Amino acid sequence: MLDSTLKTQLQAVFEKLENPVELVIRHTDHPDLNELITLLDDVASTSPLISTVHSAEVSDAPEFFINYKGQANGIEFRGIPGGNEFT
């Protein structure tokens, strides 16, 4: 989903990470869930400190939140980031 140029840019940004980051995906039956999973897996592939995790929490839309150092930090996304909001 992410092109190689963007992945390279993300690798440069994320190489400064010092602590683990989890992209926690809430479960949904929404048809766009796989698109969100693909996007987040691509982001996670840019750093060994970033991982995707599937939550047992249920949502009616594609949704994820960020855990930093194993704890939720209040940052949540509903929908699939793309375009300007992603870059």
Side-chain angles (χ1 to χ4, degrees):
M1 176 170 250
L2 299 180
D3 66 33
S4 61
T5 302
L6 188 52
K7 280 186 177 184
T8 301
Q9 290 173 347
L10 290 175
Q11 287 170 338
V13 170
F14 294 148
E15 71 185 5
K16 297 173 179 73
L17 284 175
E18 297 178 0
N19 296 294
V21 174
E22 294 176 329
L23 307 174
V24 185
I25 304 163
R26 290 191 172 106
H27 177 75
T28 182
D29 291 330
H30 195 280
D32 293 337
L33 176 62
N34 286 333
E35 185 178 345
L36 178 64
I37 292 169
T38 300
L39 171 66
L40 297 181
D41 284 345
D42 276 358
V43 171
S45 74
T46 64
S47 171
L49 289 175
I50 301 175
S51 61
T52 55
V53 177
H54 294 265
S55 170
E57 294 178 50
V58 177
S59 174
D60 60 347
E63 221 174 69
F64 72 100
F65 60 94
I66 298 174
N67 283 349
Y68 180 68
K69 296 192 322 188
Q71 297 185 359
N73 61 9
I75 299 173
E76 298 191 19
F77 295 89
R78 185 171 174 89
I80 300 168
N84 290 333
E85 71 258 359
F86 183 77
T87 55

